[in-house]
Amino acid sequence: MAGSTGQAGEQGWSSRSAFVLAAIGAAVGLGNIWRFPTLAGENGGGAFVIVYIACVFLIGLPLVLSEVMIGRSGRSDAAGSIAAVAEKSGVSRKWSLFGGMEILAAFLILSFYSVVAGWTIHYVFVMLGDIVSSFQAGAPFGTAFQGETQDMITGRMGELFGNPLELILMHTAFMAITVFIVANGVHDGIEKAAGTLMPAFFVLLVLITIYGAFTGAFAEAVSFLFTPDFSLLTPTAMNEALGQALFSLSLGSAALITYGSYVGNDVKLAPTATMIAFADTGVAILAGLMIFPIVFAVGLDPAAGPVLVFQSLPVAFAQMPGGSWVGMLFFVLIFFAALTSSISLLEGPVAWVIDRFKLKRLHAALLVGGLAWCVGLLCALGYNVLSDVRPLWFWGIFADSDILDSIDGITGKVMLPLAALGVSLFIGWRADRRLVEAETGLSAGTLMLYRLIMAWIAPLAVLLIVVFGLFPGLLPTS
Ligand code: TRP
């Protein structure tokens, strides 16, 4: 049984592995399966992958350790934990403002995450419908979408976007499931969900990757992902890689601090943080090895962008044996990954509402989930009824972004990096050194390296993302 935990945690994780699974569930999500292949594809493959891996282990991993440590030491929500650690260290409680920003970031990410996850539910139904019609046609294991042209298949995405009712319905379903799980608590909700969904996710991931290896262009995919072309190592690509590392590890968005507050005092944090970082990176790379063989096999463009998974892959399923089944399993897999992430996106703000306003868990989950649903509603309408709305029209890099992309942009490019900057400065310069040493349990040499990273390397690197992310004009053109 875990030690004492924050109020929202009631009794904490039932075991170390329950925590590890939930944290991996938070990390592995749309970021791994949708965003990572998209960015790798757009940024030339191998070169991006190398920078990404460097960012994960050099900056991301120490930050994961820091956030979990803050949670366990502070035993409260993201803001409360930072305040508690600040108090123990004899410095200003104002550092908790970064925790507040993490909570707000989680809330905003949840709102659009639920909309995108809703697309995956829609596509599960699309593939199911296709399975039914292939049975009727007497070829249940044939290719998907028989008799449809490529334009008809890719056009399905546009049809979905033009159908606000369907978008809202799927968004509502996804948010309702998320709220239901979180309302059931850390033990009976989050832990159980991760314990069921993550193993199923891994089985599907391996199965589809093997399928792609046999039927797809596996060698081409491997060389695309692992042969770096260093001329493609532009500052923009590096900037994207660091931002993606933060997003994918769920840094800067309350989850790891909150989950850390439910961790027992006997758990060694450094090996745990290492496992989370390895699992997340492993899944991102496996996802690349799952998706690109299929993309290359039918000669699709790896740089298709955000539509790669939802628009390009169905075209591939239409040309591969058993395509409807693989397609359905593929979207179920994304749905599972998204759900374990949305749970922790909701848990961060919910823990804060419980601690701060003393609400019951059920009420807090309904309140936060309901509010995030409203913001998500605007995102969904941004594809149709509100398609002319540009919320950040006044801000150069976001001027053309619709509602969903604006919220994605402002969280990913501004809020997560700022929170990461705050956490690294706080741990690197202000937090009590003995507390850090005791909580991390690092040996002298590693501890020195960790301090160097938190005090200098991470803040500088993250500062670079914020500056170049917001003012791409400052970058040398390439
Ligand atoms: N890591 C998640 C993914 O890769 C996205 C995410 C960002 C997240 N911040 C989070 C998930 C906080 C849970 C909690 O899809």
Side-chain angles (χ1 to χ4, degrees):
M1 184 48 69
S4 72
T5 63
Q7 187 175 4
E10 296 112 20
Q11 12 157 252
W13 307 110
S14 55
S15 64
R16 169 175 183 260
S17 53
F19 161 63
V20 171
L21 214 55
I24 292 176
V28 171
L30 295 172
N32 303 62
I33 298 164
W34 172 55
R35 231 162 167 252
F36 175 79
T38 299
L39 289 173
E42 285 175 339
N43 292 290
F48 176 86
V49 173
I50 287 188
V51 186
Y52 174 77
I53 291 177
C55 290
V56 165
F57 290 101
L58 220 71
I59 298 160
L61 171 56
L63 275 168
V64 170
L65 176 60
S66 307
E67 290 210 345
V68 176
M69 169 181 83
I70 289 173
R72 185 170 73 173
S73 176
R75 290 281 180 229
S76 180
D77 57 88
S81 291
I82 296 184
V85 173
E87 201 152 280
K88 288 189 201 179
S89 307
V91 300
S92 164
R93 287 174 61 99
K94 290 244 166 58
W95 283 96
S96 66
L97 282 175
F98 286 106
M101 193 168 65
E102 294 209 0
I103 292 164
L104 182 62
F107 172 82
L108 290 172
I109 295 174
L110 174 63
S111 70
F112 75 79
Y113 209 84
S114 171
V115 175
V116 178
W119 305 347
T120 67
I121 304 183
H122 171 85
Y123 271 91
V124 170
F125 285 122
V126 167
M127 302 311 299
L128 272 177
D130 192 65
I131 289 175
V132 171
S133 49
S134 59
F135 262 105
Q136 285 161 349
F141 299 104
T143 55
F145 304 118
Q146 288 195 2
E148 285 191 38
T149 63
Q150 183 153 334
D151 286 347
M152 285 161 82
I153 297 168
T154 54
R156 284 167 173 272
M157 189 85 177
E159 277 167 33
L160 172 64
F161 283 177
N163 184 348
L165 228 83
E166 173 75 3
L167 283 176
I168 294 167
L169 202 68
M170 297 298 132
H171 162 53
T172 309
F174 187 80
M175 192 65 89
I177 300 171
T178 305
V179 167
F180 176 79
I181 295 171
V182 169
N184 273 303
V186 175
H187 202 282
D188 296 330
I190 300 177
E191 208 176 289
K192 285 225 173 85
T196 321
L197 296 172
M198 290 315 288
F201 167 84
F202 280 111
V203 170
L204 289 176
L205 182 66
V206 171
L207 282 182
I208 302 177
T209 309
I210 292 174
Y211 167 87
F214 279 107
T215 57
F218 197 68
E220 209 177 324
V222 169
S223 84
F224 176 73
L225 281 173
F226 299 113
T227 319
D229 172 354
F230 288 103
S231 70
L232 294 171
L233 264 189
T234 60
T236 325
M238 300 175 76
N239 173 354
E240 298 260 33
L242 190 47
Q244 170 63 11
L246 296 180
F247 182 88
S248 191
L249 292 168
S250 300
L251 284 163
S253 34
L256 291 172
I257 301 183
T258 310
Y259 278 13
S261 75
Y262 310 146
V263 172
N265 289 324
D266 50 335
V267 172
K268 287 201 172 53
L269 295 188
T272 309
T274 311
M275 270 180 73
I276 297 171
F278 267 97
D280 186 58
T281 309
V283 171
I285 289 177
L286 260 185
L289 290 177
M290 168 177 75
I291 287 167
F292 286 115
I294 302 179
V295 167
F296 287 128
V298 285
L300 298 169
D301 180 10
V307 295
L308 183 74
V309 162
F310 292 102
Q311 214 166 37
S312 303
L313 278 188
V315 173
F317 297 141
Q319 302 180 30
M320 307 188 90
S324 331
W325 291 90
V326 179
M328 186 197 61
L329 292 178
F330 176 76
F331 288 109
V332 168
L333 166 134
I334 309 187
F335 169 70
F336 285 178
L339 189 55
T340 49
S341 293
S342 67
I343 292 168
S344 67
L345 282 164
L346 179 58
E347 176 65 14
V350 160
W352 177 73
V353 168
I354 293 174
D355 288 344
R356 180 75 200 254
F357 302 106
K358 312 286 176 241
L359 286 195
K360 285 214 173 66
R361 175 169 278 276
L362 171 67
H363 298 158
L366 282 171
L367 177 72
V368 178
L371 289 174
W373 181 86
C374 293
V375 180
L377 185 67
L378 294 176
C379 293
L381 294 177
Y383 289 107
N384 34 71
V385 184
L386 302 176
S387 61
D388 292 333
V389 176
R390 295 286 172 272
L392 301 173
W393 78 94
F394 49 86
W395 190 338
I397 48 165
F398 300 127
D400 294 329
S401 301
D402 56 37
I403 302 177
L404 191 148
D405 287 347
S406 298
I407 300 181
D408 185 10
I410 205 99
T411 48
K413 291 206 165 108
V414 184
M415 298 177 76
L416 300 193
L418 278 181
L421 183 66
V423 167
S424 43
L425 290 176
F426 177 61
I427 295 294
W429 296 98
R430 307 302 286 155
D432 183 78
R433 292 192 154 215
R434 271 156 312 170
L435 183 150
V436 170
E437 188 177 349
E439 283 281 348
T440 55
L442 293 172
S443 59
T446 328
L447 186 66
M448 222 165 75
L449 179 66
Y450 169 70
R451 285 218 175 99
L452 178 73
I453 291 175
M454 297 314 287
W456 291 102
I457 300 176
L460 281 174
V462 171
L463 203 67
L464 289 179
I465 325 185
V466 181
V467 171
F468 291 131
L470 298 184
F471 310 103
L474 294 175
L475 291 169
T477 41
S478 47

